[in-house]
Amino acid sequence: MLNRVDTPSQSGNSANRGSIDAEVPEFSVIDYDGPVRREAGKLLSIVRNGGSVLTDRDVWTDANIETLVERFVKQPDASGESFFTKLDGQLEGADDDVRILFAEIFLLQMLPITQFRKETKVRNINRVLRDAKGAYEIPPEILEAFDFPVFNGGTAYGVRRYFQLSMLIQFVRYLRTLSKKELDAAFAEPLVWRELVRNAPGTPEPSLRGSLVYMGHPEYFFPIVAEWHKQEIVDAFYPEVTNRQPTGDFDIDLAAIRDWLTSDRGITPDFYNGPLALYWREDEEDEDGDEGEVIIDDEDVAEYTIQSIVEDGAFHAAEDLRAIVERWAATRNVVLQGAPGTGKSWLAKRLAFALIGRKLKDAVRTVQFHPGTSYEDFVRGWRPGGDGQLTLVDGPLLQHAERARDYPDIPHVMIIEEFNRGNPAQALGEMLTLLERTKRNEEDALELIYMLEDEEAFWLPENLYIIGTMNTADRSLALVDFALRRRFAFFEIEPQLNEKWKGHLSARFRTEPRRHINEAAQRVNAMNRRIASDRTLGPSFQIGHSYFSAEKEASEFQPWFRSVVQTSVAPQLAEYWHDDPDTVNEITGQLLAEF
């Protein structure tokens, strides 16, 4: 069983850094968390030592964990419109013990949260086990815990399910690499356990990690996963009510309040209802910003993955797109650069949805830079109000950053079209420093050029991701300086006149012989090789596939192709070789020759 800090004399309490010497207020308690605390202890003990809650076999083996890593974590883009449709493919042919292990990891994810009702949790577990050879039942103790969930995990538990379950699989795998001494310390010491959970590999998933922290030591941590709730509670009680300064660590300060209110570690004071709620909330209604109790019909909710981008019509290889998303997740900032017409804007929005995991349009905001874009436009500046007075107004970047801060479990994306059409360094100002992944914290916060009264230094949240698109062929555009390049990962988006593109045209022009489309591809590729080999131009000046991608189905391919060449491609070539019309005429003639 999981070792817990049960008495004030144990080390978990010593982390509270001194007792509170103030009059103890009245408080209500969470008197329904016993089943979740009990079953969480069982599950985490099994995670460490092996076993199962659904069978008498040990399913938590290294081999089964590695199978899930290979089948689930490393195959995020298996085809299928819903989570369970994809899961069927990922687990096809797997042994029962692998399915049971996945079901128990799923159980660990859902156990304490309120927004899925009991029947939804049961249905999800049974759905995982549907194709198992044996028959398995959820124990009554687990069903009892489903009846008494303790906190709402927020939107991410529905939107980020694949990422959360992948993180849990990696967390379990990570635990198996630790020494007995390290595990003993984590299972005995709350703050050591917290650091272990925070440092485990995988995507950030703050609510899920907060849930794991709570389930590991519910006698010390509160069932509160929103950091801003913790901060508001601490700010309300320290120092005015407690007569003590806060330590700067919300969990330590909350644990000190628990010890102040009661010496019984089995009792959890309730900060959301009753007298304690009045200290930090305007009223006692449930205004904690959660999504409420929701049933998600898993068969109908479509996720968005790299495979979804391919199915939407991308001509790029799935592995190339996956490399962009993986690097983006690591750096927080990427730029798609390349020749005109390579689909950078189209791709940027879909990569954003794949990063998020769903098509959450409110989490994606698009702006376009132009030569006049300034810091005041993009970050913050003075604007005239209706009363004729100047008002300090946040620009798109700060607005979206605050929305991301309000929903820390959901990646938020800012798309900057034509990134180098303006002056990026000028438009970003001090954000150039704050964009850096290692500066996304309060310790590295900076004062803004324009500060509101009593405003503290600013930093960008971890879950704000930037993606820019950049045309490298336009000589009039600004060069990107080295300081900015260091903070972004750059990906060259090249023309994709490949078999996927040919298939697209064949679907648009059903009556056209495929040999004509193949010949068109050969002509365009020959043109691009000519452009790329020109010393005054180069690969960045090639003509992209978007020029030659018909949006709607049509009947006549050749008139359409000639029209594209005459009205879109030839003028572009004339710009490239403005002093060499013979070359323009030669290339245009080759494109327009009879098929």
Side-chain angles (χ1 to χ4, degrees):
M1 287 295 294
L2 179 66
N3 294 318
R4 295 188 174 129
V5 181
D6 293 322
T7 66
S9 63
Q10 287 182 281
S11 56
N13 187 66
S14 65
N16 294 345
R17 300 180 186 174
S19 60
I20 296 173
D21 184 15
E23 183 179 351
V24 177
E26 293 183 356
F27 64 94
S28 57
V29 300
I30 298 175
D31 57 3
Y32 50 83
D33 59 345
V36 164
R37 292 173 66 155
R38 180 192 68 225
E39 298 310 308
K42 289 180 183 178
L43 273 171
L44 289 175
S45 178
I46 289 171
V47 169
R48 177 182 182 182
N49 301 312
S52 173
V53 296
L54 297 175
T55 180
D56 57 2
R57 302 188 299 275
D58 178 11
V59 302
W60 290 77
T61 65
D62 291 344
N64 288 341
I65 293 168
E66 288 304 316
T67 298
L68 288 184
V69 169
E70 293 298 323
R71 285 175 170 263
F72 187 80
V73 177
K74 293 184 178 180
Q75 295 189 43
D77 308 317
S79 61
E81 296 183 354
S82 74
F83 173 82
F84 283 109
T85 303
K86 288 189 289 186
L87 185 65
D88 287 341
Q90 290 162 326
L91 297 184
E92 184 178 5
D95 293 340
D96 277 15
D97 285 3
V98 173
R99 290 183 178 275
I100 294 170
L101 173 58
F102 189 88
E104 294 186 4
I105 289 174
F106 207 166
L107 171 60
L108 188 63
Q109 184 230 20
M110 297 187 295
L111 180 66
I113 64 172
T114 61
Q115 71 263 43
F116 296 131
R117 294 178 181 154
K118 176 181 180 179
E119 53 266 33
T120 304
K121 296 177 182 180
V122 171
R123 187 180 69 215
N124 287 345
I125 298 300
N126 288 336
R127 181 64 174 79
V128 174
L129 299 173
R130 185 188 66 179
D131 295 330
K133 296 176 182 177
Y136 306 95
E137 293 186 359
I138 301 173
E141 296 84 0
I142 295 291
L143 296 177
E144 181 189 18
F146 284 169
D147 283 325
F148 298 101
V150 293
F151 65 84
N152 194 312
T155 308
Y157 274 79
V159 173
R160 300 277 297 173
R161 181 163 46 194
Y162 162 77
F163 299 98
Q164 288 195 347
L165 291 170
S166 291
M167 181 261 152
L168 277 175
I169 293 169
Q170 294 177 81
F171 173 72
V172 172
R173 187 194 204 188
Y174 172 66
L175 285 186
R176 298 301 179 97
T177 68
L178 301 179
S179 67
K180 181 179 184 300
K181 182 179 179 180
E182 290 173 312
L183 289 172
D184 286 345
F187 275 71
E189 300 281 352
L191 298 181
V192 176
W193 171 257
R194 183 183 68 176
E195 289 310 300
L196 184 153
V197 172
R198 287 179 174 178
N199 294 329
T203 50
E205 314 309 329
S207 287
L208 178 62
R209 291 181 191 257
S211 173
L212 283 172
V213 167
Y214 162 74
M215 288 191 290
H217 286 279
E219 81 293 337
Y220 184 89
F221 298 106
F222 280 83
I224 303 172
V225 296
E227 287 295 309
W228 65 275
H229 284 185
K230 294 180 182 180
Q231 180 174 357
E232 289 193 359
I233 294 169
V234 169
D235 289 346
F237 281 86
Y238 291 86
E240 184 176 349
V241 180
T242 61
N243 295 325
R244 201 188 88 173
Q245 291 297 322
T247 66
D249 187 309
F250 300 146
D251 290 322
I252 290 176
D253 292 331
L254 289 172
I257 292 177
R258 183 201 292 265
D259 289 340
W260 172 47
L261 297 176
T262 175
S263 61
D264 186 347
R265 285 298 182 90
I267 292 177
T268 304
D270 190 346
F271 284 104
Y272 288 98
N273 302 283
L276 296 182
L278 300 177
Y279 284 89
W280 69 285
R281 305 172 76 183
E282 294 182 1
D283 54 54
E284 293 188 40
E285 294 181 7
D286 188 3
E287 298 175 350
D288 59 4
D290 292 332
E291 307 304 317
E293 192 172 23
V294 178
I295 293 180
I296 295 179
D297 187 344
D298 297 305
E299 295 296 343
D300 294 333
V301 177
E303 297 185 336
Y304 199 89
T305 68
I306 297 299
Q307 182 64 28
S308 304
I309 302 178
V310 174
E311 292 170 359
D312 277 353
F315 305 139
H316 300 79
E319 54 268 26
D320 294 337
L321 301 178
R322 190 175 303 112
I324 296 174
V325 172
E326 289 175 354
R327 184 62 179 154
W328 192 11
T331 64
R332 297 297 190 271
N333 312 305
V334 297
V335 168
L336 307 181
Q337 64 179 14
T342 48
K344 297 180 290 295
S345 298
W346 183 92
L347 202 55
K349 180 165 287 189
R350 286 161 178 80
L351 288 170
F353 291 145
L355 178 79
I356 296 167
R358 293 277 172 86
K359 278 190 173 183
L360 293 183
K361 296 183 179 180
D362 288 344
V364 179
R365 185 164 183 175
T366 304
V367 298
Q368 180 176 322
F369 278 7
H370 55 79
T373 301
S374 66
Y375 176 93
E376 289 75 11
D377 297 321
F378 186 55
V379 181
R380 175 183 281 175
W382 294 98
R383 296 282 186 278
D387 57 0
Q389 300 296 314
L390 290 176
T391 304
L392 201 54
V393 177
D394 287 347
L397 180 60
L398 291 196
Q399 291 173 15
H400 209 51
E402 289 310 306
R403 191 184 193 285
R405 214 183 300 276
D406 289 341
Y407 299 91
D409 264 323
I410 305 298
H412 280 63
V413 175
M414 172 68 74
I415 301 174
I416 305 176
E417 298 276 14
E418 306 288 356
F419 191 50
N420 59 332
R421 189 165 291 280
N423 185 332
Q426 175 182 304
L428 290 169
E430 68 278 346
M431 295 297 147
L432 184 59
T433 296
L434 298 179
L435 280 173
E436 193 169 338
R437 171 71 188 274
T438 59
K439 306 294 184 184
R440 304 285 189 100
N441 57 76
E442 189 172 3
E443 288 74 20
D444 290 304
L446 296 175
E447 290 190 359
L448 302 180
I449 294 175
Y450 303 111
M451 298 287 288
L452 299 171
E453 187 176 353
D454 299 325
E455 185 177 25
E456 296 180 353
F458 181 85
W459 76 97
L460 290 171
E462 270 278 328
N463 62 320
L464 180 66
Y465 296 77
I466 309 295
I467 183 168
T469 66
M470 200 162 78
N471 185 346
T472 52
D474 193 336
R475 293 183 176 93
S476 68
L477 301 185
L479 295 175
V480 176
D481 63 33
F482 289 113
L484 192 144
R485 282 192 176 276
R486 186 174 68 81
R487 291 167 171 86
F488 284 78
F490 286 77
F491 289 88
E492 190 74 26
I493 307 300
E494 299 179 345
Q496 300 294 316
L497 299 161
N498 51 26
E499 292 303 315
K500 291 181 182 178
W501 173 79
K502 295 175 186 177
H504 162 80
L505 285 187
S506 292
R508 290 290 187 268
F509 302 97
R510 296 174 184 270
T511 61
E512 194 70 21
R514 181 63 179 254
R515 66 179 184 277
H516 288 172
I517 292 173
N518 291 339
E519 186 174 344
Q522 292 172 1
R523 295 179 185 183
V524 176
N525 283 325
M527 172 190 67
N528 278 337
R529 286 193 296 271
R530 182 82 173 267
I531 293 170
S533 63
D534 192 298
R535 295 194 323 180
T536 64
L537 299 172
S540 294
F541 289 78
Q542 296 178 90
I543 302 298
H545 51 267
S546 295
Y547 283 85
F548 300 98
S549 300
E551 293 184 4
K552 296 181 180 180
E553 190 168 332
S555 56
E556 297 292 331
F557 170 71
Q558 295 185 48
W560 170 83
F561 184 80
R562 283 195 293 270
S563 175
V564 170
V565 171
Q566 292 168 342
T567 62
S568 297
V569 177
Q572 188 80 21
L573 298 177
E575 287 289 331
Y576 289 171
W577 286 288
H578 59 279
D579 57 351
D580 189 359
D582 290 342
T583 297
V584 174
N585 292 334
E586 177 190 349
I587 296 175
T588 303
Q590 292 169 351
L591 290 171
L592 294 175
E594 288 295 324
F595 285 90

